[in-house]
Amino acid sequence: MSLDLIDIGANLTHDSFAQDRDAVMARALQAGVRRQIVTGADLASSTQAAALAAAHPGRLWSTAGVHPHHAQSFVPSQREELLSLLRRDAVVAVGECGLDYFRNLSPAAAQREAFIAQLEIAVQVRKPVFLHQRDAHGDFVAILQDFAGRLAGGVAHCFTGGKAELQAYLKLGLYIGITGWACDDRRGVDLRSSVPHIPTERLLIETDAPYLLPRDLSPMPKSRRNEPCYLPHIAATVATLRGETVEAIGAATTRNAAALFALTSW
């Protein structure tokens, strides 16, 4: 089986990859994960992600943004720094941005303010948004509705919801990013029931490495660290849930990722 996959969400700047990042990338390539988008979660990691992408043209791209956990540290003076990153060709999306009321590591009001600011930036730079939402569906949808028709697309990263959330996000024009959460037949029940209802042209796959290691991997890595090389396992699970071949899922998700993020050579 020969695959040509794109992992739309890999946190390759995470400390757990510091000692063997090149080996991690080599394993991904060998597994058929030929391109990856490195996630930025704050200005520091976004800068690191952009540098990593610049060092691997044609294989890595990145996002730049402020995760809701870090929202209270996002001050107006940092807007220009974020804009500067987003003007780079290899930086293909605004985010990870959104709302997270589950942990509330930043106050909800600060999260909403930072989210709106980043959506405004996305409109300005005409790049899609890489979106995070947990336990904040109502406010998340309401804010995105205010930007209807102005955004250059976006993806609901690490979607874990049921059919109602799925329909709301599809109505907003979003792509849907599926992770190893779909491989968990205990916690992922709602998601697994939703996967067959995602239109083929809106489906994306991602690992969110080093997080969200698929629960059903065998053998399970001793490190318990997720890696982009496990993306084919996620693709196979999605294929099974949809009654399709893994080759079809690979081709569709790669085509969709290339279209959303405008992944051309640079």
Side-chain angles (χ1 to χ4, degrees):
M1 179 177 62
S2 178
L3 295 174
D4 180 5
L5 303 178
I6 299 176
D7 187 345
I8 68 151
N11 297 281
L12 290 182
T13 63
H14 192 272
D15 289 346
S16 66
F17 293 126
Q19 301 303 315
D20 64 344
R21 189 175 293 110
D22 288 344
V24 168
M25 292 176 59
R27 282 193 289 273
L29 193 60
Q30 187 174 20
V33 184
R34 306 198 181 281
R35 288 172 282 182
Q36 301 174 50
I37 298 176
V38 184
T39 309
D42 56 19
L43 285 174
S45 66
S46 294
T47 300
Q48 293 167 359
L52 190 59
H56 298 276
R59 286 184 59 193
L60 298 183
W61 288 262
S62 70
T63 74
V66 179
H67 190 288
H69 290 346
H70 307 295
Q72 64 184 339
S73 66
F74 183 57
V75 296
S77 61
Q78 294 175 322
R79 186 181 180 116
E80 284 305 315
E81 187 177 348
L82 184 56
L83 273 167
S84 179
L85 283 173
L86 286 160
R87 291 189 181 106
R88 302 184 188 184
D89 289 339
V91 181
V92 294
V94 181
E96 182 174 352
C97 61
L99 302 175
D100 191 317
Y101 294 172
F102 176 74
R103 293 178 116 181
N104 271 328
L105 296 184
S106 284
Q111 291 187 42
R112 291 190 291 270
E113 184 176 348
F115 185 27
I116 291 168
Q118 290 176 87
L119 292 175
E120 291 171 345
I121 288 172
V123 171
Q124 182 177 346
V125 298
R126 298 304 300 159
K127 290 187 176 181
V129 282
F130 191 82
L131 299 165
H132 173 101
Q133 185 277 125
R134 191 170 185 187
D135 287 5
H137 176 72
D139 283 356
F140 181 76
V141 168
I143 289 171
L144 284 171
Q145 285 174 335
D146 286 343
F147 286 82
R150 291 192 284 156
L151 294 170
V155 56
H157 153 65
C158 189
F159 179 76
T160 60
K163 294 178 186 176
E165 279 191 14
L166 173 62
Q167 292 306 315
Y169 294 165
L170 292 174
K171 190 174 181 180
L172 287 166
L174 300 178
Y175 287 76
I176 309 298
I178 302 299
T179 65
W181 195 270
C183 304
D184 191 331
D185 58 8
R186 295 187 301 182
R187 295 187 302 169
V189 172
D190 286 345
L191 173 60
R192 288 166 66 90
S193 69
S194 296
V195 165
H197 300 281
I198 301 171
T200 301
E201 67 273 14
R202 300 281 192 90
L203 180 63
L204 297 171
I205 52 175
E206 52 181 323
T207 58
D208 200 30
Y211 311 111
L212 297 181
L213 181 70
R215 180 175 168 267
D216 60 350
L217 273 180
S218 182
M220 188 67 74
K222 292 180 180 178
S223 67
R224 309 291 293 188
R225 180 186 70 176
N226 197 9
E227 291 189 21
C229 67
Y230 300 130
L231 189 65
H233 181 85
I234 296 169
T237 297
V238 170
T240 297
L241 291 171
R242 293 171 64 89
E244 301 177 38
T245 67
V246 68
E247 290 85 359
I249 293 300
T253 55
T254 293
R255 182 171 61 248
N256 294 341
L260 175 63
F261 298 110
L263 301 186
T264 56
S265 58
W266 54 277

